[in-house]
């Protein structure tokens, strides 16, 4: 197919056909990362700017590795090391970066909609690496890739997403992505962390975590995003872990071949026990591996 889109901003705007095209491209590019020399000249002469206003380990490093594996030049800018600390606006910063002719700008920003604003203003391709509580499309794409790789298909799978749904851009993007690809998504978490009207995304909300886990093909556990909560939304980590955490006992309710996922970073002993996170059903590190392939695919599709 011809991919006409300039930017990757959210899962809403991608069609099932476009998602399949991205996943197929990522599957093909994955082989490069297994070679003794993990580099191809495909994007030689292209420039990728990584513009991160929030902390990141996985997303930032995988975009950087993806750029290098395709021979693109990448530069990394954080808010504290940019002239934004001197009062320059996001728009002025982005316009100045564009004046240096990059091919792709990857942005993570605490404000929902910041990547969309840049995409409207700039001619350069923009990839959203996470905007506030809104969207994290590249995470959803790597999650879809990982489930499709492990199960062989996505349609009809029961995907349980459990935790701090309200503050999670991953929950939103995964819900939209998995639903669009034909999976049944069920959400669970404390009532204080389930946004009203979330069913409009095509998901169902379970009464408790046992109900969500029951017969699940995939369980995605989420961290409590304390940095985004304005007040305490649950009594204690210990209580949260007991009621909503995934441990070996609760896991018995899922299907025998269940896959355990987590976008990271993990808070061990809170939303997931170490026994489960490091256990035989966990594909958490496969998600990280596939993050490189998905980001290689997006850089290739947008800039080649
Ligand atoms: N999953 C994810 O976005 O991780 P980072 O915050 O480390 O990039």
């Amino acid at each position: 197919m011809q991919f006409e889109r300039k930017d990757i901003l959210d899962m809403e705007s991608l069609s099932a056909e476009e998602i399949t095209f991205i996943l197929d491209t990522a599957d093909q590019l994955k082989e490069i990362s297994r070679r003794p020399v993990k580099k191809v000249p495909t994007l030689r002469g292209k420039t990728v700017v990584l513009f991160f206003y929030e902390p990141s380990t996985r997303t930032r490093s995988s975009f950087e590795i993806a750029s290098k594996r395709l021979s693109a030049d990448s530069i990394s800018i954080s808010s504290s090391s940019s002239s934004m600390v001197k009062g320059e606006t996001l728009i002025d910063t982005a316009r100045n970066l564009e004046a240096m002719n990059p091919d792709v700008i990857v942005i993570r920003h605490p404000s929902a909609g910041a990547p969309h604003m840049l995409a409207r203003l700039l001619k350069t391709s923009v990839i959203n690496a996470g905007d506030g509580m809104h969207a994290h499309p590249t995470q959803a794409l790597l999650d879809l890739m990982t489930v499709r790789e492990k199960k062989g298909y996505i349609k009809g799978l029961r995907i349980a997403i459990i935790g701090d749904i309200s503050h999670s851009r991953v929950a939103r993007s995964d819900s939209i992505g998995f639903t669009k690809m034909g999976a049944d998504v069920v959400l669970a978490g404390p009532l204080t962390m389930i946004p009203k009207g979330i069913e409009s995304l095509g998901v169902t909300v379970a009464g408790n975590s046992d109900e969500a886990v029951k017969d699940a093909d995939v369980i995605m556990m989420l961290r409590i995003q304390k940095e985004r909560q304005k007040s305490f939304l649950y009594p204690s980590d210990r209580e949260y872990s007991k009621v909503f955490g995934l441990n070996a006992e609760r896991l018995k309710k899922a299907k025998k071949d269940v896959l355990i996922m987590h976008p990271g970073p993990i808070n061990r002993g809170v939303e997931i026990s170490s026994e489960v996170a490091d256990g035989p059903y966990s594909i958490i590190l496969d998600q990280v591996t596939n993050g490189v392939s998905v980001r290689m695919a997006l850089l290739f599709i947008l800039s080649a």
Side-chain angles (χ1 to χ4, degrees):
M1 73 167 273
Q2 196 73 18
F3 197 91
E4 304 288 355
R5 207 168 284 287
K6 175 175 90 69
D7 312 293
I8 301 293
L9 299 176
D10 50 45
M11 295 305 286
E12 289 95 314
S13 51
L14 292 174
S15 67
E17 191 189 9
E18 286 173 317
I19 292 170
T20 302
F21 179 71
I22 293 166
L23 302 190
D24 290 348
T25 307
D27 280 347
Q28 285 169 34
L29 293 174
K30 185 166 177 171
E31 171 269 325
I32 296 166
S33 296
R34 295 197 195 101
R35 294 182 191 176
V37 178
K38 305 174 189 64
K39 206 173 184 72
V40 292
T42 314
L43 296 187
R44 197 165 53 193
K46 304 288 182 183
T47 306
V48 178
V49 174
L50 308 174
F51 201 11
F52 275 66
Y53 284 81
E54 279 187 344
S56 169
T57 298
R58 282 147 288 267
T59 312
R60 183 172 175 158
S61 53
S62 63
F63 264 115
E64 194 152 348
I65 289 170
S67 306
K68 289 186 188 337
R69 295 216 168 137
L70 294 173
S71 299
D73 298 311
S74 65
I75 61 150
S76 209
I77 302 167
S78 63
S79 51
S80 59
S81 65
S82 78
S83 285
M84 289 190 78
V85 293
K86 302 177 206 162
E88 192 167 39
T89 65
L90 171 62
I91 292 172
D92 281 335
T93 305
R95 282 195 169 129
N96 277 270
L97 289 171
E98 184 169 61
M100 297 181 224
N101 291 323
D103 297 280
V104 179
I105 294 178
V106 178
I107 179 167
R108 170 170 286 191
H109 199 278
S111 301
H116 297 66
M117 182 179 72
L118 293 195
R120 277 194 302 275
L121 282 169
L122 306 180
K123 290 192 181 69
T124 311
S125 288
V126 173
I127 300 179
N128 181 2
D131 60 328
M133 299 187 283
H134 175 229
H136 196 348
T138 65
Q139 179 70 42
L141 289 165
L142 74 88
D143 290 339
L144 286 163
M145 178 185 177
T146 309
V147 170
R148 192 177 78 157
E149 182 180 85
K150 298 289 174 191
K151 293 281 186 192
Y153 61 96
I154 294 169
K155 194 170 181 187
L157 292 176
R158 178 177 163 87
I159 316 280
I161 304 179
I162 302 174
D164 182 1
I165 309 294
S166 298
H167 300 93
S168 173
R169 54 196 175 205
V170 175
R172 261 185 65 78
S173 289
D174 272 355
S175 292
I176 295 165
F178 277 105
T179 303
K180 202 167 265 193
M181 300 309 284
D184 296 321
V185 176
V186 53
L187 307 178
L191 281 178
T192 49
M193 298 184 202
I194 303 276
K196 280 196 175 66
I198 189 80
E199 292 88 348
S200 66
L201 297 182
V203 301
T204 54
V205 178
N208 55 53
S209 52
D210 286 339
E211 194 184 312
V213 164
K214 191 171 180 313
D215 296 331
D217 296 291
V218 175
I219 304 173
M220 168 88 63
M221 298 306 296
L222 299 175
R223 180 176 67 88
I224 302 170
Q225 304 212 7
K226 291 180 184 170
E227 74 275 21
R228 298 193 203 279
Q229 295 184 357
K230 293 192 177 70
S231 58
F232 289 116
L233 298 178
Y234 63 104
S236 67
D237 283 356
R238 215 170 112 161
E239 195 159 326
Y240 181 88
S241 172
K242 203 168 147 208
V243 181
F244 292 100
L246 189 61
N247 51 37
E249 192 52 38
R250 183 157 285 139
L251 191 57
K252 286 180 189 160
K253 295 182 167 55
K255 286 204 177 136
K256 294 271 174 289
D257 57 350
V258 66
L259 302 175
I260 306 302
M261 303 177 79
H262 195 305
I266 289 175
N267 285 152
R268 289 173 182 269
V270 182
E271 73 272 12
I272 190 166
S273 69
S274 284
E275 191 185 1
V276 174
D278 303 329
Y281 304 105
S282 173
I283 55 165
I284 294 170
L285 293 179
D286 296 273
Q287 291 173 262
V288 179
T289 302
N290 285 340
V292 174
S293 305
V294 156
R295 286 154 185 145
M296 285 169 79
L298 293 173
L299 295 175
F300 171 68
I301 289 166
L302 294 183
S303 69

